[in-house]
Amino acid sequence: MTILAAAQNENLAEISNYLIYSAMAVYTLAFFAHIAEWVFGSRSKVARTAAALTAKRGSDDSGDREREEPAASAPAVTVRKGGSTSVLERPKAARPKVVVRSAAGRRGDLPDGPGAAGGDEQGDLYGRVAVSLTVLAFLLHASSVLARSLSVERAPWGNMYEFSTAFSMVAVGAYLGFLLAKKNVRWIGLPLVTTVLLDLGLAVTVLYTESTQLVPALDSYWLWIHVSLAIVCGALFYLGFVATALYLFRDRYETKLLAGGTPSRWATSVLERLPSASSLDKFAYRVNAAVFPFWTFTIVAGAIWAGDAWGRYWGWDPKEVWSFITWVAYACYLHARATAGWKGRKAAYLALLAFACFLFNYYGVNIFVTGKHSYAGV
């Protein structure tokens, strides 16, 4: 029976490997579909319509415009009398629409962009194909992680290979969850799929480890609690990182526009389709602020696990130290957002620094630093 179980587990491990390579192939197709979405979106209906209207307006006679504008800008009103007060009312059709702008003040005239497809029908088609392929790849990806778990009969994140595959799976799942909730986040698709391909490529070539049982220190139910929380927090921190990085580009683009400058052709083609700098900054802040309490609990859970496994709650192990440094960095970012002089780009730089600390805590500490958490398996 033991030999049969071992053979079955080996078959599950092979199935897991097959599924992860299949997921990578579908992610690659999704990557090219996202590229097509951006390429066809550059021929945006919005841009073509704006150019046509500008050309038409330039060719109109100025006298005609003067005669036409008052009629267009003077909607009919009705007088409603009640008591000693007369009220002027506009018909509903003539009332101005409320347009949500990127921010008050100097950014008030810069609304969100139309998205990666740029309003182009063919670009939107490729975007939908990309999302569909991403869903298929996610299902294959999740099946691979499940097969790996069944092959080792434990949580599938006992070494760096398993952590990496689970991390990217959760990141894609979170992205699809935002889409399912009708959030306008399809602009994350291209950087996300690109990063997932890099992460999985590194996992299967450099970090791959045969499925084995855990070392005694990790053989605990805390593995399900502590490490799963770390994976979820890291995946969501990654989405916040993408939004923050794009915010810096979009903010520079908007600043140049407001200063009367002419952005480059790439900036005009790509950055104009992103959400406004204010929207990107708000998205990143909300994600980081929502995840921060869970990251706090992740550290607390790790301390409790350390007390059970090693008889002490905190020992200044490199992994513990860098987890705390990451916590401090995100705490500084959240505090900076509440401080008037540190909002905007300064706070964004802190967010990038915080995520860099998270990455070093994962890659740098696991691979290059020796400690009690040296379970990289590479």
Side-chain angles (χ1 to χ4, degrees), residues 102 155 207 212:
S102 61
L207 304 178
T212 57

Side-chain angles (χ1 to χ4, degrees), residues 219-263:
D219 191 11
S220 169
Y221 63 89
W222 282 105
L223 179 69
W224 290 93
I225 302 173
H226 171 65
V227 183
S228 63
L229 275 174
I231 291 172
V232 171
C233 290
L236 292 174
F237 277 148
Y238 166 75
L239 296 183
F241 160 77
V242 172
T244 301
L246 292 178
Y247 156 76
L248 292 173
F249 286 107
R250 172 78 187 199
D251 181 70
R252 189 176 298 277
Y253 167 75
E254 292 182 4
T255 301
K256 194 168 186 177
L257 282 180
L258 292 170
T262 302

Side-chain angles (χ1 to χ4, degrees), residues 25-209:
V26 181
Y27 278 130
T28 303
L29 294 177
F31 169 79
F32 286 115
H34 276 299
I35 291 290
E37 177 187 18
W38 282 92
V39 169
F40 284 97
S42 65
R43 303 184 292 111
S44 166
K45 285 184 177 179
V46 175
R48 293 199 303 270
T49 303
L53 290 176
T54 302
K56 182 177 183 298
R57 184 177 179 182
S59 62
D60 285 343
D61 181 74
S62 59
D64 294 337
R65 290 201 305 271
E66 290 177 359
R67 287 192 296 270
E68 294 172 0
E69 285 176 359
S73 60
V77 296
T78 59
V79 179
R80 179 170 58 85
K81 294 184 178 181
S84 60
T85 305
S86 297
V87 181
L88 295 178
E89 286 188 341
R90 292 181 180 179
K92 290 185 178 180
R95 294 176 186 174
K97 294 181 179 180
V98 177
V99 179
V100 179
R101 301 298 185 182
S102 61
R106 67 189 186 93
R107 298 298 170 91
D109 294 328
L110 296 174
D112 290 345
D120 183 83
E121 184 176 353
Q122 191 170 10
D124 182 66
L125 174 62
Y126 280 110
R128 294 176 183 276
V129 170
V131 172
S132 300
L133 289 171
T134 303
V135 171
L136 176 59
F138 171 75
L139 294 176
L140 293 170
H141 193 165
S143 299
S144 173
V145 173
L146 177 61
R148 178 81 175 196
S149 177
L150 294 175
S151 71
V152 292
E153 300 177 353
R154 57 169 173 78
W157 38 74
N159 51 59
M160 285 191 71
Y161 167 77
E162 295 172 355
F163 189 100
S164 294
T165 55
F167 172 86
S168 53
M169 179 196 71
V170 173
V172 176
Y175 164 69
L176 296 177
F178 279 120
L179 289 178
L180 191 62
K182 305 299 183 182
K183 302 298 182 181
N184 182 23
V185 295
R186 209 162 80 183
W187 46 270
I188 298 180
L190 180 58
L192 173 67
V193 171
T194 304
T195 306
V196 167
L197 282 172
L198 292 174
D199 177 67
L200 293 180
L202 182 64
V204 300
T205 57
V206 178
L207 304 178
Y208 182 77
T209 305

Side-chain angles (χ1 to χ4, degrees), residues 264-307:
S264 65
R265 186 175 180 181
W266 176 85
T268 302
S269 174
V270 175
L271 297 180
E272 70 176 1
R273 285 178 275 160
L274 291 175
S276 67
S278 178
S279 297
L280 290 169
D281 187 41
K282 186 182 298 183
F283 176 81
Y285 170 69
R286 287 178 174 176
V287 169
N288 290 331
V291 175
F292 182 73
F294 295 97
W295 181 249
T296 303
F297 181 73
T298 300
I299 297 176
V300 173
I304 297 173
W305 187 8

